[in-house]
Amino acid sequence: MQVKLGALQTDVTQTALAEQIVTLAELKKHLRVTHALEDTLIEAARQAAIAYVENYCSILLGSYLATGYLRAWQDATFTVGPVTAVGAVLYDDQGGTERTLPAAQVFYDIVRQPAQITFRDVPSVEEYSLTPIRIGFTVGYAPADIPEPIVSAIKLIVGHLYDMRTDEVTGTITTRVKLGTDALLSNFRQLHVR
């Protein structure tokens, strides 16, 4: 049985990170904008594009320390990626004392995405705790390692948001803005099978 492993990302300054992913100057060049009058609009579109890509692909852009939570010892799949390292596995024993599971009892695969983790010869955990097992891990593409198709998709989305500031109207029917990013992002999606 596999369960999904939730993650809690740490806080970072989003504008600083966004500037590392794709600079405002690069976006303005892509949009052919030579003035500073719409920098705030372009910045908002950049933030929205990055959020869209992260949500669509179940990935994080930027490297984060995160914690995953389990209610019981079982095989688990990380719901966000790419996972680049797995740290300590902490658990609350039957008496409620926090302990560290020895590394020899933890097995994980972070080469394949989504990453997976499993355990062997595990002790009992506190019965009434909602999150007795906590897994530390590092997740996300470091800004220098973000694949070029992802950056290109962000530029395309920013272009759509900049050019088409409302839903598209075809005849008398209003439709959502069409994004040509599926081909660029499809190889980076983290799909989770139950």
Side-chain angles (χ1 to χ4, degrees):
M1 173 184 192
Q2 285 194 331
V3 296
K4 293 181 181 178
L5 186 63
L8 174 67
Q9 80 180 45
T10 58
D11 292 330
V12 296
T13 305
Q14 291 302 317
T15 303
L17 177 62
E19 192 68 18
Q20 293 176 32
I21 295 168
V22 58
T23 67
L24 183 61
E26 289 173 305
L27 288 175
K28 288 173 74 170
K29 182 178 178 182
H30 174 75
L31 298 171
R32 296 185 179 114
V33 173
T34 58
H35 54 79
L37 298 174
E38 295 183 322
D39 284 3
T40 303
L41 176 67
I42 296 168
E43 173 59 33
R46 176 173 60 180
Q47 295 293 344
I50 290 169
Y52 176 86
V53 167
E54 288 180 328
N55 186 49
Y56 180 78
C57 294
S58 295
I59 61 173
L60 291 176
L61 302 179
S63 187
Y64 299 92
L65 295 177
T67 302
Y69 300 91
L70 292 174
R71 289 186 178 204
W73 299 111
Q74 52 201 322
D75 296 348
T77 300
F78 292 84
T79 58
V80 67
V83 174
T84 56
V86 174
V89 176
L90 305 175
Y91 68 96
D92 297 331
D93 67 15
Q94 287 182 315
T97 303
E98 182 177 81
R99 304 212 183 266
T100 303
L101 189 68
Q105 294 172 252
V106 180
F107 301 90
Y108 54 87
D109 180 2
I110 61 173
V111 174
R112 221 170 36 152
Q113 297 295 331
Q116 298 176 341
I117 190 167
T118 191
F119 315 93
R120 90 165 176 210
D121 302 325
V122 292
S124 298
V125 294
E126 187 176 16
E127 185 176 359
Y128 298 108
S129 176
L130 294 176
T131 56
I133 303 163
R134 295 164 301 282
I135 302 162
F137 61 100
T138 305
V139 63
Y141 288 102
D145 298 330
I146 296 173
E148 190 55 42
I150 292 175
V151 175
S152 294
I154 291 168
K155 289 177 182 178
L156 281 175
I157 294 167
V158 169
H160 278 287
L161 294 173
Y162 183 80
D163 291 339
M164 304 175 81
R165 299 179 192 188
T166 61
D167 286 338
E168 183 178 347
V169 177
T170 306
T172 59
I173 300 171
T174 302
T175 59
R176 296 279 175 222
V177 174
K178 295 177 183 154
L179 298 175
T181 58
D182 291 353
L184 291 170
L185 296 176
S186 63
N187 288 336
F188 302 100
R189 290 187 80 187
Q190 302 272 330
L191 300 176
H192 304 279
V193 179
R194 286 184 183 237

